């Protein structure tokens, strides 16, 4: 039995699948990742992206932060790909219990997924740091310079986890609970080098850990099944 056939069999035999995904799920929708050869970390800016996307930089150089954020992080024309759509289909069929994602683009919800734990937040949620009013991504995109709340004039901040910031505890607890209760865990499109998010897969207690990624990861030796291929190709090619 090939790895692909084994994977299909596991999916058919499972009733509580959890999918844990990273940037590779979104690159197939045209959203650039950070660490690949063509990713943001390899592009030239006055400051490296990991500095620009830090809490300190946001505080000290807010206008420069938003210039980069609007240009590189708001990919609002992107659409769900075969992987997003298949996962939403499995959820509707009662086969998939939850999606845990490191991505901030909202494509899982756009595809129809309902139970999504966004570890790093979402570009579609933005809030006033003074009065708490919420705004969509279009508000940030269309505002010039530093976005200010029309209600009170306070600074509007994206609800995304910047470097130096901690993950939302409720989101982490929900993700851990879902992973711990899963009968199958599919890890796809992630290099598994970003912590603490990558460490969450250690909460999986089952024997059907499938790792799908184009390139090898530090966890390949611990997975029950490894497929080095496009996550969209693997999931999109399934009938189940």
């Amino acid at each position: 039995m090939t790895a692909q056939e084994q994977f299909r069999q596991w999916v058919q035999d499972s009733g509580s699948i959890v999918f844990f995904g990273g940037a590779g799920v979104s690159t197939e929708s045209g959203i650039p990742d950070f660490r690949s050869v063509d990713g943001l970390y390899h592009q030239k800016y006055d400051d490296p992206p990991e500095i620009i996307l830090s809490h300190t930089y946001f505080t000290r150089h807010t206008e420069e932060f938003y210039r980069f954020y609007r240009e590189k992080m708001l990919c609002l024309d992107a659409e769900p790909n075969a992987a997003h759509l298949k996962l939403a289909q499995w959820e509707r069929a009662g086969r998939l219990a939850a999606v845990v994602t490191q991505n901030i683009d909202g494509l899982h919800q756009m595809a129809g997924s309902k139970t999504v734990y966004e570890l790093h937040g979402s570009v579609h949620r933005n809030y006033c740091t003074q009065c708490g009013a919420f705004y969509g991504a279009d508000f940030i995109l269309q505002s010039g310079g530093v976005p200010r709340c029309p209600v009170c004039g306070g600074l509007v901040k994206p609800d995304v986890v910047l470097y130096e910031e901690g993950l939302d505890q409720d989101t982490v607890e929900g993700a851990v609970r879902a992973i711990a209760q899963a009968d199958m865990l599919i890890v796809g499109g992630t290099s598994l080098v970003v912590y603490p998010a990558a460490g969450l897969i250690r909460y999986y207690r089952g024997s059907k850990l499938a790792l799908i990624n184009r390139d090898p990861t530090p966890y390949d030796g611990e997975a029950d099944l490894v497929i080095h291929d496009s996550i969209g190709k693997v999931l999109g090619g399934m009938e189940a």
Side-chain angles (χ1 to χ4, degrees):
M1 183 179 292
T2 67
Q4 295 270 8
E5 291 169 341
Q6 180 70 79
F7 180 73
R8 291 191 183 95
Q9 188 63 54
W10 282 0
V11 170
Q12 291 171 1
D13 294 343
S14 300
S16 183
I17 301 171
V18 169
F19 178 81
F20 180 98
V25 181
S26 294
T27 54
E28 296 177 37
S29 290
I31 295 178
D33 70 349
F34 276 37
R35 292 174 172 77
S36 69
V37 174
D38 298 320
L40 293 179
Y41 281 175
H42 295 272
Q43 299 178 25
K44 301 300 181 183
Y45 298 94
D46 291 340
D47 294 293
E50 63 266 36
I51 297 298
I52 299 175
L53 296 173
S54 69
H55 180 82
T56 297
Y57 194 94
F58 174 81
T59 302
R60 296 178 180 175
H61 309 283
T62 311
E63 189 165 353
E64 289 83 352
F65 168 91
Y66 273 108
R67 188 177 299 121
F68 177 89
Y69 184 82
R70 290 188 184 96
E71 180 182 349
K72 295 298 181 183
M73 306 303 289
L74 289 181
C75 304
L76 302 185
D77 292 333
E79 296 185 355
N81 59 54
H84 298 105
L85 296 171
K86 181 60 66 175
L87 293 168
Q89 178 187 332
W90 286 349
E91 185 184 38
R92 288 193 297 272
R95 181 168 287 162
L96 183 129
V99 169
V100 180
T101 181
Q102 299 175 77
N103 299 328
I104 60 175
D105 48 53
L107 290 180
H108 284 292
Q109 290 93 329
M110 196 180 301
S113 290
K114 304 298 184 184
T115 304
V116 182
Y117 295 101
E118 296 174 303
L119 297 174
H120 296 151
S122 172
V123 298
H124 296 283
R125 298 190 302 270
N126 305 273
Y127 65 93
C128 173
T129 56
Q130 189 165 306
C131 74
F134 266 78
Y135 300 95
D138 284 337
F139 175 83
I140 300 295
L141 188 64
Q142 295 167 9
S143 61
V146 177
R148 295 285 177 180
C149 175
V151 178
C152 71
L155 171 66
V156 176
K157 181 183 184 297
D159 190 15
V160 300
V161 180
L162 302 177
Y163 288 96
E164 305 168 346
E165 296 179 343
L167 304 185
D168 177 76
Q169 197 58 38
D170 288 341
T171 302
V172 171
E173 289 176 2
V176 167
R177 190 162 50 247
I179 290 171
Q181 295 172 351
D183 59 4
M184 180 178 184
L185 177 61
I186 304 172
V187 179
T190 173
S191 58
L192 291 173
V193 297
V194 177
Y195 285 83
L200 296 186
I201 69 172
R202 294 206 177 274
Y203 289 93
Y204 177 62
R205 302 188 179 103
S207 58
K208 292 186 288 188
L209 170 54
L211 206 163
I212 306 169
N213 198 53
R214 290 181 184 272
D215 304 310
T217 79
Y219 281 82
D220 281 14
E222 301 180 35
D224 301 302
L225 184 66
V226 177
I227 300 175
H228 288 151
D229 206 342
S230 152
I231 184 67
K233 180 181 176 183
V234 175
L235 297 192
M238 296 184 62
E239 297 179 359

